[in-house]
Amino acid sequence: MNLERTMSQKILIVEDEASLVMTLTDRLQRNGYEVDSAGDGEVGLEKALTGAYDLLLLDVMLPLKSGFDICRKVRQSALDTPILFLTARGQTIDKVTGLQFGADDYLTKPFDMMELEARIEALLRRAAPEASYSFGNISIDFRSAQVTKNGVPVVFSAREFHLFRYLVEHRGATLSREELLTEVWGYDAMTSTRTVDVHMAWLRQKIEENPKFPVWILTVRGMGYKFTG
Ligand code: CA
């Protein structure tokens, strides 16, 4: 999965739940990441501000300083380290408010480890964008925004390409229609989630062998979509 990674990337976990830190550390190390951790907000902030990390995994409710405090201070110091928040169930965090603190993504506890890994990989990919990506008989050149199928160019609208790129960057993650609307269409979009479905149907027409039985863009019942390429 991480064969393309030549230098190990460093993740800082700031979390006061020791058992979760152990589980996360173990799992992420097995995936080839270097992992460091802090059990409270002050130590977490101190470490985060060194800028030595490729990604910060922050709990929100922490002793001494909250995850939001850390996030805000990190952004104030002009560090653009990707930040993924781990939020407790029932802790409703308005995504827009959170993004004002400079966070990049959220995951609600309890979360699926595969989902966390997919989110982490997506954030690291965005920080160091890939020039191209291939799956099945499809190739994407991100720099020229060109997609080819069996070597033949496929025409994408700007929106379709943006959506496709988001799917590829978040491969393996389950993406809700709301997230896709926010990320691909923008916060103020007066669009309905139906728009997402329509565009997914168009993407399937372009990349799937049989759009009626998609193998790359899957519908996750009651959740949204998942790209498996
Ligand atoms: Ca906590």
Side-chain angles (χ1 to χ4, degrees):
M1 184 193 276
N2 298 318
L3 293 176
E4 77 274 18
R5 208 182 293 143
T6 50
M7 202 170 56
S8 81
Q9 289 167 302
K10 210 167 172 183
I11 297 176
L12 174 66
I13 304 169
V14 188
E15 165 66 64
D16 56 332
E17 202 181 311
S19 60
L20 182 55
V21 173
M22 274 179 64
T23 309
L24 288 171
T25 302
D26 181 58
R27 182 72 178 240
L28 293 173
Q29 280 176 341
R30 268 190 282 148
N31 280 329
Y33 295 107
E34 237 182 277
V35 181
D36 195 3
S37 61
D40 70 62
E42 255 167 32
V43 175
L45 176 61
E46 214 172 282
K47 288 189 172 189
L49 288 178
T50 63
Y53 304 94
D54 297 291
L55 185 136
L56 307 177
L57 204 52
L58 305 180
D59 184 23
V60 175
M61 299 295 284
L62 290 162
L64 304 176
K65 264 185 175 48
S66 76
F68 285 148
D69 292 336
I70 297 175
C71 182
R72 197 169 45 226
K73 292 253 162 58
V74 164
R75 291 296 182 252
Q76 277 169 2
S77 73
L79 280 173
D80 58 2
T81 317
I83 293 176
L84 174 63
F85 270 116
L86 300 176
T87 67
R89 191 186 279 284
Q91 203 172 40
T92 41
I93 290 170
D94 177 13
K95 190 160 186 178
V96 177
T97 310
L99 287 169
Q100 286 168 356
F101 287 106
D104 298 289
D105 204 359
Y106 292 93
L107 213 51
T108 307
K109 296 175 188 174
F111 49 81
D112 176 57
M113 271 297 186
M114 300 275 284
E115 187 65 32
L116 177 71
E117 285 163 12
R119 296 278 167 177
I120 287 175
E121 287 186 16
L123 287 176
L124 291 170
R125 261 178 228 130
R126 270 196 286 177
E130 294 158 310
S132 63
Y133 186 72
S134 300
F135 62 93
N137 54 13
I138 306 282
S139 281
I140 313 153
D141 184 323
F142 291 116
R143 292 204 180 119
S144 61
Q146 288 254 323
V147 180
T148 56
K149 186 175 183 180
N150 291 318
V152 180
V154 183
V155 178
F156 275 62
S157 73
R159 184 77 72 194
E160 285 167 354
F161 188 78
H162 189 170
L163 175 62
F164 190 33
R165 176 176 201 142
Y166 195 83
L167 289 177
V168 172
E169 282 177 345
H170 293 80
R171 49 191 181 263
T174 303
L175 306 169
S176 70
R177 290 173 177 81
E178 290 73 20
E179 172 176 350
L180 292 166
L181 266 185
T182 307
E183 299 292 335
V184 178
W185 276 263
Y187 300 115
D188 308 322
M190 295 295 286
T191 24
S192 80
T193 52
R194 176 82 190 113
T195 308
V196 176
D197 298 328
V198 170
H199 278 76
M200 286 298 183
W202 289 341
L203 281 191
R204 281 173 172 156
Q205 289 290 339
K206 292 181 181 185
I207 68 163
E208 299 281 357
E209 284 306 313
N210 183 349
K212 286 208 172 81
F213 299 98
V215 298
W216 302 117
I217 300 175
L218 306 183
T219 300
V220 184
R221 200 178 288 270
M223 303 282 286
Y225 293 95
K226 183 190 270 196
F227 175 67
T228 64

